[in-house]
Structures are given as C-alpha cells and as structure tokens.
C-alpha cells in the first residue's frame, strides 16, 4: 500500500511556542516487534485516537500496567482507536515480557537519531503515556505514571473521550 507522503518528515524539529497551538507528535517510521513497518502518519490518521505508551522491561510500574493497557486497546478498537507501546530499551526482552503478560497490542521502535527518537530523550519518568489525535497532535499533557493508578486512569480516559468527541466533530 503506497501512501501519499504530503507532510515532509522532520519538517519541524523545534518545539512550538506555547500559544495554545497543538504540539505535533514527532513523525517516525519504525518497526513493530514482528518487523512490520509502522509509519506515524498512517498510524495516527487511521485512528480517531491513538494512545502512545513509553515503557521499558525493567520498570515495574510499566510491566504492571500491561494488562490494563491491553484491555484499553481492546476498548479503543471498538471506538476506532488504538494503543501502541514504545519500548525504549530492550526489544528482545520486550517481546518476552509482553508474551508473558498476554499483551497483544502493537509495540513499535524507531531510530534513536530521528525526530521521534530525540523526543524520547526528553522522557525522564516511565511509564509516560501520550494521547494523539488523527492529525498527529498531542492532546493534553503527557500522563506520567502507571494507568493502574486512579488519577492517571481518570486523566487518560478524559483525554481519550475529548479526542473521540473532537474527531466526531
């Protein structure tokens, strides 16, 4: 399937001014853990809402929320959305941990020297979760901490609902 690459990758690497404008999630072309190509523009445009969760395998809260994230992905699928994980360190271990936790949602990785790779260097707490709309805009603030915690779960649900409502127009 050939996609129209209308937006040049890496066209803006600076942070936008804080004038209320939406911040774009950095464009990426990566692979999932099965080796399939994943392009951010296709991923985001194909979903009413995409939840992007950054995690790593030796982070206990990260691993602790995998079952909840998997359940959330199934809920989102019914509403035209999806959840993806971005494991920032250990790919081989990630496959094992996901399998042990029966987490079936897509996990992706991308080059550390690209726009999205540089973006991950600004994530200092794990897990961190972003909500992204169909246009690739980050909705609200990143959610730091596991969604197994009530406050994080409520914030995430609010952002998802807001994004779905805006998508329906």
């Amino acid at each position: 399937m050939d996609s129209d690459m209308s937006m040049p990758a890496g066209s803006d690497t600076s942070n936008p001014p804080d004038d209320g404008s939406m911040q774009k999630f950095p464009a990426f072309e990566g692979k999932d853990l099965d080796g399939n190509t994943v392009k951010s523009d296709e991923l985001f445009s194909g979903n009413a809402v995409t939840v992007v969760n950054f995690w790593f395998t030796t982070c206990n809260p990260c691993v602790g929320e995998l079952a909840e994230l998997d359940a959330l992905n199934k809920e989102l699928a019914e509403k035209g959305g999806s959840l993806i994980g971005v494991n920032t360190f250990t790919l081989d271990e990630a496959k094992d941990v996901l399998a042990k936790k029966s987490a079936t949602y897509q996990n992706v990785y991308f080059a550390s020297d690209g726009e999205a790779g540089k973006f991950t260097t600004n994530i200092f707490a794990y897990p961190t979760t972003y909500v992204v709309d169909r246009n690739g805009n980050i909705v609200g603030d990143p959610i730091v901490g596991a969604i197994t915690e009530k406050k994080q779960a409520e914030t995430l649900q609010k952002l998802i609902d807001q994004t779905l409502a805006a998508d329906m127009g």
Side-chain angles (χ1 to χ4, degrees):
M1 189 172 112
D2 206 358
S3 72
D4 173 28
M5 298 295 278
S6 55
M7 195 178 95
S11 57
D12 180 19
T13 53
S14 66
N15 284 331
D18 191 17
D19 59 4
S21 63
M22 299 285 261
Q23 183 185 349
K24 286 273 189 202
F25 193 90
F28 65 86
E29 181 172 330
K31 301 255 185 226
D32 67 15
L33 299 183
D34 295 322
N36 302 307
T37 298
V38 179
K39 295 181 180 173
S40 57
D41 57 343
E42 292 173 5
L43 175 74
F44 298 143
S45 66
N47 292 308
V49 60
T50 306
V51 174
V52 184
N53 173 261
F54 289 90
W55 71 289
F56 64 98
T57 50
T58 54
C59 158
N60 287 332
C62 300
V63 174
E65 71 176 352
L66 293 175
E68 281 84 354
L69 291 172
D70 200 54
L72 177 61
N73 182 51
K74 291 179 173 87
E75 278 176 42
L76 288 172
E78 293 170 17
K79 299 172 182 171
S82 78
L83 181 139
I84 62 163
V86 180
N87 185 291
T88 50
F89 299 115
T90 45
L91 298 175
D92 293 339
E93 283 179 34
K95 284 179 96 159
D96 294 342
V97 170
L98 289 162
K100 281 183 188 134
K101 294 286 182 178
S102 303
T104 57
Y105 61 91
Q106 189 174 41
N107 269 259
V108 299
Y109 63 95
F110 35 74
S112 59
D113 59 352
E115 199 179 335
K118 290 183 181 125
F119 179 78
T120 62
T121 63
N122 293 316
I123 297 172
F124 298 107
Y126 287 84
T128 294
T129 304
Y130 287 85
V131 175
V132 183
D133 71 11
R134 188 182 298 277
N135 299 314
N137 296 311
I138 295 171
V139 180
D141 291 322
I143 297 161
V144 177
I147 65 156
T148 49
E149 301 297 320
K150 188 173 190 289
K151 183 174 173 271
Q152 280 84 343
E154 287 171 355
T155 304
L156 179 58
Q157 193 57 56
K158 196 165 59 179
L159 290 175
I160 289 168
D161 292 345
Q162 180 186 328
T163 307
L164 287 170
D167 190 68
M168 288 188 248

